[in-house]
Amino acid sequence: MKHVAVLGAGLSGLSSAFHLSRLHPNVRITVLESQKRAGGWVRSTRVSLPENYGSVLLEAGPRTLRPNAQSVLELVNLLGLKEQLITVPKTSPAAKSRYLYIPPDHGTSYSGLQQIPSSFFSFVKSPLSSTLVAAVAQEALKLNNRAKGVEDESVDSFLRRRFGSRFAETFGSAIIHGIYAADSRNISVRAALPSMWDAEARGWGSLVRGMFMSVKKPQGQAYDAGNVPQLMDGVSVYSFRDGMETLTRALDSHIRMRPNVQISYNAPVTSLASTEDGFAITVEGGRTVEASHVVSALPTPILHSILSPTLATTEVNKVGSLTANSTSSVHVVNIVFPGPPCSIHPAGFGYLIPRPPTGYPSTSPEPTNLGILGTVFDSCSLADQDTEARNPHAYHTAKFTKLTVMIGGPYPLPQLPPYLSSTEVPQGVDRKTNSLPQYMQTVLEQLAAHLGHWLPTPLYWRIVPNENCIPTLSPGHLERVDELQGYLDERLGGRLQVVGAGIGGVSLGDCVEAGRTVARRLHFQ
């Protein structure tokens, strides 16, 4: 019997094991996970609030999905999760109203919280339109200015070349803060925003022209999504009533029931070596797992660190591409305030903040600026996670407001004391003194400045430090991945496959699709 070892039980690893077990029921599959639970960065927690406020669902990682990922819709159907869906319609304020916070020192004639135009009325009203109109009009008339032979560049370089420096610094840097928690000057445009790169080529050098030209969609394999795509008509984003971990828990439960799958938790891999018949995987404690094939869903730097000399002594530069990208660390700060959302923030999805015009601090965070990348107004889009029934008036009537602040990425992160840095310790306000640590006081002061008014003492808060959680896919990433895959196919006959956020994209849809693809890519003869 062939034996596949799947390294890592994050979403990419779970998807790989799920699809492998369905497509190859006669192949033995072993999943090795270093933590005591599956799911990776997807972590949902329901917390009871004090003083009879009820419960709140908090996310430490991803919180919503877009309905364009057919591979995830397929899982919703196959795992029977349709009844758990919470959808946000495109007509809702959470879909139509997104904001930028423009700091006073950003060098523009406007500052504060500014709504990104999404309709003719908001376009006319928004101060951001002055930047948008000039940039888009000039881009449509601008000649092709991509240098000959350039196969990739940073997002900042691309947007600066096509739309000008003000657009790149204001919009481009904020978007990359929200997706990658990174500096847009360090992110590959082909890896992060491939549709923009393709549209420029399609439009004879103009992205705007290319966006108006029809695109022939490639014919791919059919997805077994049932009627879930129809349920997503008119939907902007969606989640689940008990959070994003609903998906990873369902995958984990399904996989453990498959007769050809075994999952080992608390089993960090310390070495991966090639053998005459396949691979020898050493697990912490000395246990060895023999496998004919390996699917690595580990972060690429960790995979590089466990490669034995039998795999890493030759073609070092190609194997070294596993460490070519850096990673971003982010503090996720969940805050629950008393009172309805209308008393805390405007209706909408949330806001992002552009990079500082003077650059990011290089050593330690400033006392009054922790490096907030953006804030999500969770109660505006995901109120149904916290109420017994759907309530269209929750924005004005809910008993509490939850939001999430993202801190760090290209900013230096503050050192947290042990009682704040442990995700196992419940956190919140000392109800006897209403005291807050300095870190949270600074967060609230910055939030109050962004929102333009005083904020009440939170009912609950927590800080979740996510170390090295998002890969920074730097320019040249796609070429490096192709080179690495070619090397592994040539040397190992395709028996070692590498998937995950550091290879194929950081979105949850990318991770699920990668697992689905690798299950069809492996051949057992």
Side-chain angles (χ1 to χ4, degrees):
M1 179 180 290
K2 297 297 183 181
H3 181 196
V4 182
V6 177
L7 312 184
L11 192 51
S12 297
L14 289 173
S15 176
S16 300
F18 173 83
H19 287 288
L20 280 166
S21 66
R22 295 183 74 242
L23 288 177
H24 307 286
N26 296 320
V27 171
R28 181 181 163 209
I29 300 165
T30 299
V31 182
L32 301 172
E33 169 54 45
S34 63
Q35 301 183 44
K36 63 182 180 182
R37 55 173 285 280
W41 298 111
V42 179
R43 288 168 292 172
S44 310
T45 307
R46 189 167 292 282
V47 173
S48 295
L49 298 173
E51 302 177 5
N52 299 317
Y53 272 90
S55 69
V56 62
L57 193 286
L58 302 178
E59 298 282 14
R63 63 202 60 249
T64 56
L65 286 152
R66 290 194 175 276
N68 57 354
Q70 293 294 313
S71 56
V72 183
L73 301 185
E74 180 179 58
L75 289 184
V76 171
N77 179 52
L78 296 176
L79 296 171
L81 302 179
K82 287 186 285 187
E83 297 301 318
Q84 296 292 319
L85 288 171
I86 291 178
T87 59
V88 179
K90 293 179 180 179
T91 55
S92 70
K96 296 194 297 182
S97 300
R98 297 167 185 260
Y99 299 86
L100 291 182
Y101 174 73
I102 308 298
D105 62 350
H106 199 66
T108 58
S109 59
Y110 49 86
S111 62
L113 214 57
Q114 304 293 337
Q115 184 175 348
I116 299 173
S118 61
S119 65
F120 177 78
F121 179 75
S122 63
F123 194 86
V124 172
K125 185 179 178 182
S126 174
L128 296 174
S129 299
S130 59
T131 301
L132 284 168
V133 170
V136 172
Q138 291 175 13
E139 200 282 340
L141 300 175
K142 191 179 293 185
L143 298 176
N144 182 6
N145 61 353
R146 184 193 299 178
K148 187 176 181 180
V150 171
E151 298 297 332
D152 197 4
E153 62 186 314
S154 72
V155 170
D156 183 80
S157 171
F158 177 88
L159 295 178
R160 190 178 296 271
R161 180 168 58 80
R162 295 307 309 170
F163 294 96
S165 59
R166 175 61 64 189
F167 183 95
E169 292 166 7
T170 302
F171 294 95
S173 65
I175 290 170
I176 296 303
H177 279 173
I179 301 173
Y180 288 89
D183 186 343
S184 60
R185 294 169 294 190
N186 297 331
I187 292 284
S188 160
V189 66
R190 286 191 61 201
L193 304 170
S195 61
M196 295 177 66
W197 181 268
D198 295 340
E200 182 195 27
R202 190 168 59 248
W204 302 294
S206 169
L207 184 151
V208 172
R209 289 196 298 266
M211 295 294 286
F212 285 99
M213 299 175 70
S214 61
V215 182
K216 184 178 181 181
K217 295 183 178 180
Q219 295 294 323
Q221 296 182 358
Y223 293 86
D224 188 3
N227 70 333
V228 179
Q230 286 70 47
L231 298 177
M232 293 297 165
D233 284 346
V235 169
S236 173
V237 295
Y238 67 97
S239 183
F240 303 93
R241 197 165 298 280
D242 288 316
M244 297 299 297
E245 205 169 333
T246 299
L247 180 61
T248 54
R249 288 194 193 111
L251 277 169
D252 182 36
S253 176
H254 178 93
I255 290 166
R256 283 189 283 111
M257 290 190 297
R258 301 286 293 185
N260 60 327
V261 181
Q262 178 183 3
I263 300 184
S264 295
Y265 303 103
N266 295 314
V269 176
T270 58
S271 175
L272 173 62
S274 61
T275 65
E276 184 176 346
D277 298 322
F279 301 91
I281 302 121
T282 304
V283 179
E284 190 172 83
R287 178 165 67 103
T288 299
V289 177
E290 301 283 346
S292 59
H293 298 72
V294 169
V295 175
S296 174
L298 299 173
T300 53
I302 294 179
L303 173 60
H304 185 268
S305 70
I306 66 172
L307 292 177
S308 71
T310 58
L311 288 174
T313 50
T314 61
E315 301 283 355
V316 174
N317 290 334
K318 293 177 182 178
V319 177
S321 65
L322 294 171
T323 59
N325 295 325
S326 60
T327 54
S328 291
S329 297
V330 177
H331 288 177
V332 175
V333 184
N334 302 119
I335 309 175
V336 183
F337 291 104
C342 66
S343 67
I344 303 296
H345 59 71
F349 188 82
Y351 63 90
L352 296 171
I353 305 176
R355 69 169 177 264
T358 56
Y360 301 101
S362 58
T363 53
S364 60
E366 300 173 5
T368 59
N369 183 4
L370 292 174
I372 293 180
L373 303 170
T375 299
V376 180
F377 303 152
D378 296 307
S379 286
C380 207
S381 57
L382 300 175
D384 291 341
Q385 292 177 332
D386 308 317
T387 57
E388 295 297 326
R390 295 181 181 271
N391 182 0
H393 306 294
Y395 177 69
H396 297 281
T397 62
K399 296 170 64 177
F400 59 81
T401 300
K402 71 174 179 181
L403 53 78
T404 303
V405 182
M406 279 74 67
I407 297 173
Y411 292 93
L413 281 167
Q415 186 69 36
L416 294 176
Y419 79 98
L420 288 181
S421 60
S422 173
T423 58
E424 302 296 328
V425 179
Q427 299 173 22
V429 177
D430 182 343
R431 301 307 298 171
K432 294 180 181 180
T433 62
N434 283 339
S435 63
L436 287 167
Q438 183 59 51
Y439 184 104
M440 283 303 301
Q441 290 182 33
T442 305
V443 170
L444 292 179
E445 289 168 2
Q446 287 189 250
L447 275 179
H450 297 167
L451 297 172
H453 61 83
W454 170 87
L455 294 172
T457 300
L459 291 168
Y460 183 88
W461 57 268
R462 69 173 187 176
I463 303 166
V464 183
N466 293 331
E467 298 292 330
N468 301 317
C469 58
I470 308 177
T472 299
L473 308 182
S474 57
H477 172 73
L478 297 183
E479 290 77 7
R480 291 191 297 272
V481 168
D482 287 344
E483 187 179 32
L484 174 65
Q485 190 62 61
Y487 163 64
L488 294 177
D489 288 347
E490 180 181 352
R491 182 169 181 191
L492 300 172
R495 291 179 291 113
L496 172 59
Q497 298 289 320
V498 183
V499 298
I503 293 293
V506 301
S507 75
L508 297 189
D510 290 333
C511 293
V512 172
E513 186 66 47
R516 189 179 191 274
T517 300
V518 81
R520 288 158 173 76
R521 183 180 172 90
L522 284 179
H523 300 286
F524 305 99
Q525 297 179 354

